[in-house]
Amino acid sequence: MRQLFQLANLPAPDASPGSNQLAHLLRASEADRQKIVGLLEQIRTKTITFDAKRIRRTLTGSAPRSCAWYPDAKMTSWIYYEPRVTFDRAMHEDRTEGWGTSNQWRDDGSHAISPKLAFTTKTDPEAGLKAFVLNDEWIVLKAAGTRQQLNYTGVENPLRDRQRHMDGANNLGDEALALRRALANRGLNAEDFLLYIAAIYNSALADDYLRQGGENTMRIPVDPIALDLDVVEALIGLARRIRNLSALSAKLTENATMKEVEALSLAPSDALEAFGLMRASGSGGRFAQVPTWTGDGSAIAAVNAVIHELRGEIDELVQAIFESLPALA
């Protein structure tokens, strides 16, 4: 990216040899070579400067429902996020001409939603209906893959009037807001509310719903009057644990060693030891010690075994919630 911006600072004729070299390095097709030229022109004319903070982690790509709860490597990529750069929509010989510009990003301000519920919609049971509750920063791509859509939301929408509800929940309907407040009275927060939604979305009941011909969305009960809040709270506890362990598994698969502060945010030290992770004290001087935890393939397998058990427990509670709902008239 630095090379790209350096080329953009040159006059167009002087940048041409460098852009050809960059295209060769990237093994770009002729169409992509033209995009590189257009990208250089936009950087130059819009006076866009390189900013390392714009290199962002992105949730994208198709994956089976087993990847629910926290994105693994198959659904993770890194991009340089710059919404001021746009491209014309692709034209296809057998389709009507597109309109506007092709931009995979929603409103820039919406990416600040945190905690964030990201979820897919697709009628294929092998890929549709999976959700992720993210409290670290992710950019969510619109298209998750072939005929699959990625969406995201939160209890608060920074693009809407923040004064609608003093508790910050300006993105909920009346019943959902009532549930959010009922959970808050129990000491639960916005992320807990989203974990409840994700638990139902990722459940076997949702899978059965699709396999039996349901739509690519399903109604999630949020009326606190109709719900057993003790069961809801228990479900949230399991959801938080499976989300954290899914993150632990994904992170260890990507890098076997992680900083202690991150590891302990996902599981207590006794659990990490039970999984077979090894703690190492940091080195480098009295004030530069950074303890770490390391887990090999057997540790990851142990984590995944507990995740499998938690799925069964979550499915039982979700089933209990739906069975206890009053029958529709």
Side-chain angles (χ1 to χ4, degrees):
M1 290 304 303
R2 291 184 186 276
Q3 182 180 351
L4 184 70
F5 277 85
Q6 289 169 357
L7 289 172
N9 287 329
L10 298 174
D14 296 335
S16 182
S19 65
N20 289 335
Q21 182 181 8
L22 181 61
H24 178 74
L25 181 65
L26 297 174
R27 299 179 180 178
S29 65
E30 182 57 35
D32 288 336
R33 286 173 180 266
Q34 294 304 312
K35 286 185 177 181
I36 292 174
V37 173
L39 181 57
L40 290 171
E41 181 64 20
Q42 290 193 58
I43 293 173
R44 185 180 299 115
T45 58
K46 297 178 181 179
T47 61
I48 301 173
T49 57
F50 176 79
D51 182 357
K53 293 180 180 179
R54 287 194 174 274
I55 299 176
R56 311 276 280 278
R57 188 168 43 175
T58 310
L59 177 60
T60 184
S62 295
R65 294 192 71 245
S66 59
C67 292
W69 289 110
Y70 193 85
D72 63 7
K74 292 189 291 295
M75 294 200 71
T76 305
S77 62
W78 292 86
I79 54 96
Y80 187 87
Y81 174 67
E82 177 48 79
R84 286 176 292 176
V85 173
T86 59
F87 294 98
D88 291 337
R89 288 181 179 271
M91 303 243 335
H92 301 280
E93 185 176 339
D94 58 341
R95 298 187 182 181
T96 57
E97 182 176 346
W99 54 272
T101 57
S102 179
N103 195 321
Q104 288 283 18
W105 315 113
R106 294 173 174 87
D107 192 290
D108 186 40
S110 71
H111 296 301
I113 294 174
S114 181
K116 180 181 299 176
L117 175 71
F119 59 98
T120 62
T121 51
K122 188 177 181 182
T123 54
D124 177 5
E126 298 303 322
L129 296 189
K130 56 179 174 288
F132 314 89
V133 178
L134 308 170
N135 53 24
D136 41 0
E137 186 172 290
W138 289 78
I139 296 257
V140 181
L141 193 64
K142 284 183 180 178
T146 305
R147 295 180 299 277
Q148 189 178 77
Q149 187 80 12
L150 270 171
N151 311 273
Y152 61 93
T153 190
V155 299
E156 181 180 5
N157 181 351
L159 305 180
R160 299 179 68 179
D161 180 10
R162 294 177 182 271
Q163 300 303 315
R164 181 185 172 197
H165 300 299
M166 296 305 294
D167 57 8
N170 68 351
N171 200 35
L172 302 176
D174 292 339
E175 285 188 354
L177 182 60
L179 177 58
R180 167 76 181 93
R181 289 172 171 165
L183 294 177
N185 289 336
R186 290 173 167 246
L188 302 179
N189 57 29
E191 184 179 61
D192 293 315
F193 177 86
L194 297 181
L195 285 167
Y196 166 70
I197 302 298
I200 294 177
Y201 212 76
N202 290 333
S203 68
L205 187 69
D207 186 48
D208 291 341
Y209 171 80
L210 279 186
R211 293 183 186 280
Q212 293 173 12
E215 300 292 334
N216 60 357
T217 57
M218 65 178 295
R219 179 173 172 78
I220 294 176
V222 292
D223 181 1
I225 298 176
L227 293 168
D228 184 332
L229 294 183
D230 289 334
V231 177
V232 171
E233 187 170 353
L235 178 61
I236 289 170
L238 293 177
R240 180 173 292 277
R241 190 176 178 210
I242 195 173
R243 190 279 308 274
N244 288 352
L245 292 184
S246 297
L248 179 63
S249 176
K251 291 174 184 291
L252 287 175
T253 300
E254 184 177 356
N255 189 334
T257 299
M258 58 196 309
K259 293 180 180 179
E260 182 169 72
V261 65
E262 182 177 30
L264 293 181
S265 72
L266 301 176
S269 58
D270 57 345
L272 296 174
E273 291 174 352
F275 291 138
L277 276 75
M278 302 294 293
R279 184 181 186 275
S281 299
S283 60
R286 180 180 177 185
F287 298 105
Q289 294 186 354
V290 180
T292 60
W293 287 83
T294 300
D296 58 13
S298 62
I300 296 172
V303 174
N304 290 340
V306 174
I307 290 173
H308 180 75
E309 294 175 2
L310 288 172
R311 283 199 187 105
E313 296 178 39
I314 286 172
D315 289 341
E316 290 179 4
L317 288 184
V318 171
Q319 189 68 38
I321 285 174
F322 275 81
E323 289 178 351
S324 66
L325 293 175
L328 295 176

